[in-house]
Each structure stands twice: as C-alpha cells, then as structure tokens.
Amino acid sequence: MEYHIHIICDGESVHIDGLPGGPDSAMLPDGIVRGFNMIWALVEAMAHDAECICISGIGYTGGILQVAAFDIWVQTGEEGFFIPMDVSARLFSENGIPYFHSPFMS
C-alpha cells in the first residue's frame, strides 16, 4: 500500500504521520533514520534557528516501511522555508533516501 506521509526530525526523534495505523504502526529501517538525522545535522548547521525538518513523501508498506521523499521544510519558530529541490535531491541522495522526483536517465 502507498500512503502520503510527513516525517518530522529534530535530531532527537523521527516521527511519522499519515500511516493508517498511526505513528506507531511501522518502523523505518535504521539506515533511513540515520539518513534523516544526518540531513537534520546538515540543515541545523546552515540554519542555526531551525527547530526541526519536515519531510513529505510516500510511504510504501509491505514487510518493511520504505520511503520516497518529496521535499524538506525547515521550521524556524512560527515561520520556515523549503529547501530548493536540487539541494533536497542531493541531500536525499547523499544520505540514502530515495527522492520521489528523480528524473529517468536517458
């Protein structure tokens, strides 16, 4: 099954919203959690007032929850900003997270 999900990462925890059984219904593979935590560390180093990152994506359930990510929102207080798509794609790629919008190679 495929679900639109939101992942919130603040360096201490990774929380998933949008799964039919609630946030405790599936666990992400350790490599994906490490990837989100590394992205958080890189973003936090660039935006010192960042509180968390919010990642939109598609979750694929079966045996193990798999994720393909869309974008990264950086929450800074009551405001925030999206990281540009090319930077998001590079961050996902360098940290083992499939990027949903990757173009087909010709």
Side-chain angles (χ1 to χ4, degrees):
M1 299 295 296
E2 177 181 294
Y3 302 95
H4 289 271
I5 59 172
H6 298 286
I7 298 163
I8 301 167
C9 179
D10 63 4
E12 295 180 24
S13 65
V14 175
H15 177 81
I16 308 166
D17 286 324
L19 294 173
D24 297 326
S25 64
M27 298 296 293
L28 287 169
D30 288 341
I32 298 290
V33 171
R34 282 191 300 273
F36 287 137
N37 283 325
M38 180 56 88
I39 291 170
W40 161 251
L42 294 168
V43 169
E44 185 182 34
M46 294 183 294
H48 299 291
D49 57 344
E51 295 178 358
C52 66
I53 54 174
C54 303
I55 299 164
S56 298
I58 298 288
Y60 302 94
T61 58
I64 297 173
L65 176 64
Q66 295 296 320
V67 171
F70 289 142
D71 55 32
I72 303 171
W73 171 263
V74 179
Q75 186 68 41
T76 56
E78 293 191 27
E79 298 184 10
F81 59 91
F82 281 103
I83 292 181
M85 288 178 69
D86 60 333
V87 176
S88 292
R90 188 179 75 245
L91 286 170
F92 292 138
S93 173
E94 291 173 354
N95 291 287
I97 309 220
Y99 182 52
F100 190 79
H101 296 296
S102 290
F104 292 106
M105 303 306 273
S106 53

